[in-house]
Amino acid sequence: MSIFDAPIGRCEVVHEMVLLDETRRECACEHGCPPGQACPLAHCFARRSGLYEAHPEFKALIHRHAPHAVH
């Protein structure tokens, strides 16, 4: 059981609940948003997440997909 509740929001573009404690770029990569996709939650995301420090392999994944997920 977790006592930490991450902030979430409903994205009307992907029709899913998304975590807002990650960066917009991380979310775009996770949900496969195409370049130039307007993000209805753009102002809600964290400026920096802890994923890079906790999971170095995720940083490599983001950089590999950067041209497809730049938001």
Side-chain angles (χ1 to χ4, degrees), residues 2 4 13 15 21 36 40-41 44 63:
S2 174
F4 174 74
V13 174
H15 305 290
D21 64 345
L41 300 172
C44 299
H63 288 294

Side-chain angles (χ1 to χ4, degrees), residues 20-28 45-49 52:
L20 300 175
D21 64 345
E22 61 187 355
T23 66
R24 182 177 175 191
R25 188 175 179 182
E26 290 167 344
C27 183
F45 291 101
R47 292 185 185 268
R48 180 180 171 151
S49 76
Y52 288 131

Side-chain angles (χ1 to χ4, degrees), residues 13-62:
V13 174
V14 296
H15 305 290
E16 294 180 15
M17 300 301 284
V18 298
L19 294 174
L20 300 175
D21 64 345
E22 61 187 355
T23 66
R24 182 177 175 191
R25 188 175 179 182
E26 290 167 344
C27 183
C29 180
E30 182 181 341
H31 293 281
C33 295
Q37 175 69 53
C39 178
L41 300 172
H43 64 284
C44 299
F45 291 101
R47 292 185 185 268
R48 180 180 171 151
S49 76
L51 289 177
Y52 288 131
E53 292 78 18
H55 301 282
E57 69 279 4
F58 190 74
K59 184 176 183 178
L61 176 68
I62 291 291

